[in-house]
Each structure stands twice: as C-alpha cells, then as structure tokens.
Amino acid sequence: MEYSDWLNPRPFQDDAGFIGKVFAAKIRESGLEEVICRLATEIWTKQHMQQDHQLSRSQDAVLDTDELWFGKRKVLYRLRMPDNSLWMARLHNTLYNKTAVTDHATRMTNQMLLFESEVATMQFVRENTQIPVPKVYGYDFTYKNVLGTPYIFMEYIAGKPYPFPFSEKGRIKDADLIKIQTQLTNFAWQLSKYPFDKIGQLRFGAGAEGGVAIGPIIDRKERLYGPFTSSRAFRGHSTGIAQRQCMNLKHASIHYNLLFDEQCTIVGVIDWEWTQTVPVDSFKLLPWNAASKMLLYRAEDVARHEQNSVQQFKALSAGVGSAVIERDVLEAMISFQGSLPQSIARYLEEYNWPEVRRKNYNQLKELISKLTSSFQLSNGRAEERSARDGQKPASC
C-alpha cells in the first residue's frame, strides 16, 4: 500500500528574526567565521601529525557553503578541510536564554556539564555500537575559548532529515516504513546491551568502564538533579517495577535527529544532547514509529509496526546469555511495551519539557488512576487466593 501525504510542519528556522540567524549574523560581523576555519585547521593538523602523516596542504579549512543549519540552541557550519574531507562545526548559541536557573555561574556550569555529556555519549555510542554517530574531532566545553562559546568539530554526514526521502519520491511505501522501523529497533537492541546502574547522563570517567560514568541530569530548563539508583527515586512515583533494575541509554528526541539517504537507510543519528540512561519501564523498543506521523495511517497500522518491533527485538535477544545482559531485564523490556507503566513513564519524563500542555497532566492523572485500580484488583485477588490456601499474602 502506498501513501502520498506526510506530516511536514513549517520549520521554526523559517521565522523572521529567528534567534539562530541573529547569532550567526553576530558571528559573521565579529569575524569569528575565519576563527572557526583557523581553529578547525589547527585541530586537523594536530591529528595528522599525531598519526605521522606527511602534510602537504596548500590551504586552510574554508566554509563549504553559505547555507547554515540552525537549532534553537546551536548553529552549524560545514567546513571543507585541506584534504577535501567535510567537517561540521557546531557552536552553542549564547543568545538562547530559556532557563529556570537564575544564578549566572550555576547556569554556565550546568551548560558545560550538558555539553560534556553530549560528547561523552557520542563517543561511547560510536565506540560500542554500530549506530551511525558522527566522529568527534575536537571540542571545548568552556566559554573562555577563542570563540567565546562551547563548540564541537565533528564528521559531516551527507544525509537529510525526515520527511526526506519521501518528499523527493512523492510516495510512502509500507516497505520503506518497515525498513526504517527495523533499523530503529536494531539501534534500541544495541543500546540495551550496555546497561548502567544509575539514572543520569554520561560523563567522562577516568578509569570507569567504557571511559564514562553516570553523572547528574541537566534538563531542558538547565536544572541539575540526580543521579538516581531506582525508578522510584527518579520519579518520586513507582510504576510497579522492581527496585533492582538495569538502566539503558535513551536518545531524548531521535525522531527529529535522523538523517536518511534516498533508500531510507539511516546514515546518521545526531544531536545527543539530553540523552540519559532510563529504567526498563521507560525503554521503548521502537523509539520513533514513523507510521504514527503519516496522515493516512490508521491506528491498527501503527500498532502493527509496534508489534513487529517487539518481535524483532525478541529475535535479536534469542540465545543471549546472562553474561551479556540479564535475561529478566530483556524480558522486562519486552513486557513493558505498550503497557500502562510505560505510558506513565513517558509522561513523567516529558513533564519538565516546555512543550508539555495541560492535557498531558490530565492524561497522566487518568493513567495513574487506571494503574492504581489494576494493582488494587490484583492484590485483592492475591489476598483471596492466600486466604483460601491458608497462606499469608506475599509482601511487596
């Protein structure tokens, strides 16, 4: 079956006076575009010298295009290096000021911690999985560098975000969606094989396993909290799971940050800001169901893709022993798919996002009420069975 419509909202970057464009103009007027190129050249030269490469460059890095890429908190520049390779330079937008932290020094510290977490996460995922993450060439977390703002130099990946390639084809085939969903489920599987013992964001950890440690969470309003050792401590609310559990990495907004080629292959997963470890009740096997974004897709089609993802995950996990990941954790990940506890977990994790509306609170309240009723009914039946058998009910 084929569809020709898709959800394609107007990008906020098109707004007149968008803050990213204002910041980019400030960078150009200050002559910092030349500084970006010079800094990239220095990093490139140092790397080649460390690898004992013979350098015969005749020019420095240059901006490869006048087109810039914007986010609300960042501006990206594509650079052509002396060896003709392509890099991306990403600068933090110092004009962005949506924060709940009033103390300037605390805010700067939290921003630098968030930046460190993103780079540590990118490097961990790139080194331990086959997920296509850009290689990081250089970075500075501070505001005291020559650019006056945190920056990253990374590999350029030649892909485009959704709705490409559908916007080029003019059609959406079910087989294309299945291909996308299969890749995403495989990414989830790869991340699930590296459990952590705390809920938080990754930091560089000297001597720690994998070169990373779990530190506190910096949320979207730049507040710091955690790390946590259980779902109950994380949320202040139990979703009905055991206190002892493994935490797994979860990309905060993967659906906005996938790069595709013309064959619907995901060639890049970018923007790992706010990625953190989450408990098993938060681990969604299909982190972004593209079918749910299609205007003409029916609810049963969306559910079918979700179920296919669960079946694929089961197939991937078949035969995996406890030496890799605990069997009960794998089973818990699968059992929570589409459940009330998982829905509650999703709403609770999004509660601090600026985009959350009143309806989310009402839906969350309704879900918790349903879950509470379910627990009460389950416990009542357990007590009845225990009374019939002359046994005491098991304590939770």
Side-chain angles (χ1 to χ4, degrees):
M1 188 176 295
E2 297 183 356
Y3 299 97
S4 58
D5 291 331
W6 51 84
L7 295 178
N8 186 15
R10 178 175 175 270
F12 57 80
Q13 293 94 331
D14 292 344
D15 292 339
F18 173 60
I19 191 173
K21 293 181 179 179
V22 176
F23 179 69
K26 181 180 177 182
I27 292 294
R28 176 167 292 180
E29 293 167 1
S30 303
L32 289 178
E33 288 184 349
E34 291 78 8
V35 178
I36 293 171
C37 294
R38 186 170 68 247
L39 184 57
T41 303
E42 292 173 359
I43 295 173
W44 180 89
T45 301
K46 182 178 180 181
Q47 289 185 341
H48 280 257
M49 292 179 65
Q50 289 175 342
Q51 297 169 4
D52 295 326
H53 290 174
Q54 295 296 321
L55 298 180
S56 59
R57 64 182 178 88
S58 58
Q59 63 180 21
D60 291 342
V62 296
L63 292 181
D64 184 64
T65 175
D66 291 333
E67 180 184 7
L68 301 181
W69 290 265
F70 300 102
K72 292 180 180 178
R73 300 167 56 94
K74 63 204 68 164
V75 177
L76 294 96
Y77 301 79
R78 190 172 72 189
L79 308 175
R80 186 167 295 277
M81 307 307 294
D83 60 356
N84 219 34
S85 62
L86 295 175
W87 285 17
M88 291 295 287
R90 202 192 83 187
L91 276 62
H92 174 70
N93 188 345
T94 56
L95 301 180
Y96 185 86
N97 59 4
K98 290 186 178 180
T99 180
V101 180
T102 57
D103 181 72
H104 179 75
T106 301
R107 183 187 177 196
M108 295 299 102
T109 298
N110 290 356
Q111 287 180 353
M112 289 188 288
L113 285 173
L114 182 63
F115 214 83
E116 176 192 351
S117 173
E118 180 174 16
V119 175
T121 301
M122 290 175 66
Q123 293 188 344
F124 177 84
V125 175
R126 181 178 174 87
E127 292 170 3
N128 292 280
T129 75
Q130 298 299 312
I131 298 173
V133 179
K135 182 178 181 179
V136 175
Y137 298 120
Y139 55 85
D140 191 316
F141 303 146
T142 73
Y143 288 82
K144 297 181 179 180
N145 55 64
V146 294
L147 296 177
T149 187
Y151 62 79
I152 304 176
F153 289 100
M154 69 185 85
E155 173 189 12
Y156 170 76
I157 295 179
K160 296 181 181 180
Y162 175 85
F164 180 86
F166 305 128
S167 55
E168 300 289 323
K169 295 180 177 181
R171 297 287 180 183
I172 297 176
K173 294 182 179 180
D174 196 64
D176 292 333
L177 293 183
I178 291 175
K179 181 176 181 178
I180 293 172
Q181 317 295 34
T182 298
Q183 294 172 86
L184 288 171
T185 304
N186 186 268
F187 293 169
W189 163 246
Q190 292 185 58
L191 291 177
S192 74
K193 294 191 293 183
Y194 296 94
F196 296 87
D197 61 354
K198 294 184 181 68
I199 301 170
Q201 293 173 342
L202 267 59
R203 303 275 182 267
F204 289 118
E209 185 177 356
V212 294
I214 299 299
I217 296 168
I218 311 298
D219 71 9
R220 292 175 181 266
K221 295 183 180 179
E222 299 179 336
R223 297 169 295 196
L224 182 149
Y225 53 99
F228 305 97
T229 57
S230 71
S231 177
R232 184 186 296 274
F234 175 44
R235 301 192 177 97
H237 171 84
S238 173
T239 54
I241 63 175
Q243 292 295 296
R244 178 179 174 274
Q245 54 188 276
C246 294
M247 322 301 175
N248 298 88
L249 274 176
K250 178 182 178 182
H251 193 295
S253 54
I254 197 169
H255 52 292
Y256 291 121
N257 296 290
L258 298 172
L259 300 178
F260 297 93
D261 67 10
E262 293 181 352
Q263 288 73 46
C264 295
T265 299
I266 300 173
V267 296
V269 182
I270 59 175
D271 202 356
W272 291 80
E273 195 174 32
W274 292 303
T275 296
Q276 67 178 67
T277 58
V278 296
V280 292
D281 54 325
S282 302
F283 195 82
K284 204 167 185 295
L285 298 183
L286 189 53
W288 177 58
N289 191 339
S292 66
K293 304 296 181 182
M294 306 304 155
L295 290 174
L296 298 182
Y297 252 80
R298 299 168 299 178
E300 54 264 34
D301 295 317
V302 176
R304 173 170 54 83
H305 282 290
E306 292 280 358
Q307 188 57 37
N308 287 344
S309 177
V310 173
Q311 295 303 320
Q312 183 193 358
F313 196 87
K314 288 181 178 180
L316 288 168
S317 62
V320 174
S322 59
V324 178
I325 184 173
E326 295 182 33
R327 172 61 55 184
D328 58 345
V329 175
L330 282 173
E331 293 175 351
M333 288 179 183
I334 294 172
S335 67
F336 274 113
Q337 301 311 301
S339 66
L340 277 173
Q342 187 178 73
S343 297
I344 292 173
R346 178 171 61 86
Y347 279 118
L348 286 171
E349 285 159 17
E350 294 178 353
Y351 198 74
N352 286 327
W353 290 28
E355 296 84 0
V356 170
R357 299 291 184 265
R358 179 72 180 178
K359 65 177 183 179
N360 295 68
Y361 169 79
N362 293 331
Q363 290 172 347
L364 176 60
K365 185 177 179 181
E366 181 181 350
L367 289 171
I368 292 176
S369 177
K370 287 182 179 179
L371 186 63
T372 301
S373 299
S374 176
F375 283 161
Q376 290 174 344
L377 179 61
S378 177
N379 289 338
R381 289 173 177 172
E383 290 176 357
E384 289 178 3
R385 287 195 298 269
S386 297
R388 285 199 307 268
D389 300 336
Q391 299 174 348
K392 293 182 179 179
S395 59
C396 297

